[in-house]
Amino acid sequence: MNVQWYPGHMAKAKRTLEENLKLVNIVIELCDARLPYSSRNPAIDSIIGKKPRVLVFNKADLADQTQSDYWMDYYKKQGFTVVFTDAKQGDGVKKVIAAVKKAMEEKVSRSLERGRIATALYAMVVGIPNVGKSSFVNKVAGKAAARTGDKPGVTGDKQ
Ligand SMILES: Nc1nc2c(ncn2[C@@H]2O[C@H](COP(=O)(O)OP(=O)(O)OP(=O)(O)O)[C@@H](O)[C@H]2O)c(=O)[nH]1
Ligand SMILES: [Mg+2]
């Protein structure tokens, strides 16, 4: 029997991700703080490549603080910029924005030198189902821009 373990929608999502990566300056990779290893897609590093990235562990309010400290250190040692958030309450969201700005510092100052008044930064928020991507986007936007829900697959497509 031929077991199709890699469903079509995953292949499609991977393609969409690769295509849209070209349009953004930075990637915000959202994971679940309670599953700091297994909520990361193993293919994500090779897909994102050298594009700047902030690794965000959301639902930190539900995670064990001692474990979170351990994993923060684990990923920082690997060279990642790491932030823990609670996208439901908004905790840590400003830290993510600050981390994005810091990662983009050079690009912004280069464009200021060229006489630009403002620089728009484009970020992509990615993550496995139900990690809180829509909640995060809503907190950043300061309004309910994306529908959220207590089951996976609420956002069905690129948004
Ligand atoms: N406790 C807690 N709940 C959260 C947090 N972030 C999101 N949630 C809840 O988790 C559920 C999923 O959140 P969504 O924002 O819909 O997640 P999503 O990643 O957009 O999900 P899909 O679109 O289905 O992939 C919702 O019930 C949110 O209220 C958080 O930091 N802490
Ligand atoms: Mg969603």
Side-chain angles (χ1 to χ4, degrees):
M1 193 176 74
N2 183 14
V3 179
Q4 189 64 20
W5 69 270
Y6 195 78
H9 71 274
M10 282 176 70
K12 182 173 168 259
K14 183 169 178 273
R15 252 192 335 268
T16 307
L17 214 159
E18 283 162 348
E19 284 162 15
N20 286 275
L21 207 52
K22 298 177 196 122
L23 310 175
V24 302
N25 305 109
I26 190 162
V27 174
I28 298 171
E29 181 190 347
L30 231 71
C31 314
D32 190 318
R34 297 166 298 177
L35 306 160
Y37 192 84
S38 56
S39 66
R40 296 192 65 219
N41 186 322
I44 202 84
D45 287 342
S46 75
I47 297 171
I48 292 175
K50 289 201 173 358
K51 185 74 70 175
R53 180 179 1 171
V54 179
L55 193 50
V56 176
F57 291 96
N58 189 41
K59 307 200 183 184
D61 55 307
L62 303 176
D64 182 303
Q65 185 63 53
T66 311
Q67 288 298 319
S68 295
D69 291 343
Y70 170 85
W71 288 98
M72 166 86 104
D73 193 50
Y74 174 90
Y75 284 113
K76 276 190 173 169
K77 276 189 181 138
Q78 289 183 22
F80 285 104
T81 300
V82 187
V83 182
F84 278 72
T85 56
D86 169 356
K88 210 169 173 179
Q89 300 303 323
D91 296 339
V93 171
K94 283 196 179 128
K95 277 191 193 161
V96 180
I97 305 293
V100 165
K101 283 184 179 166
K102 189 157 188 291
M104 294 286 102
E105 229 164 32
E106 259 184 56
K107 181 191 154 52
V108 172
S109 62
R110 253 185 283 127
S111 95
L112 285 175
E113 278 162 23
R114 284 199 219 102
R116 297 230 182 108
I117 299 160
T119 310
L121 294 175
Y122 294 91
M124 178 195 283
V125 178
V126 290
I128 64 165
N130 203 239
V131 285
K133 300 176 293 297
S134 295
S135 304
F136 176 81
V137 166
N138 288 343
K139 281 295 174 200
V140 173
K143 62 181 182 192
R147 199 163 60 86
T148 67
D150 60 359
K151 60 183 193 309
V154 171
T155 308
D157 216 327
K158 182 187 103 179
Q159 201 176 359

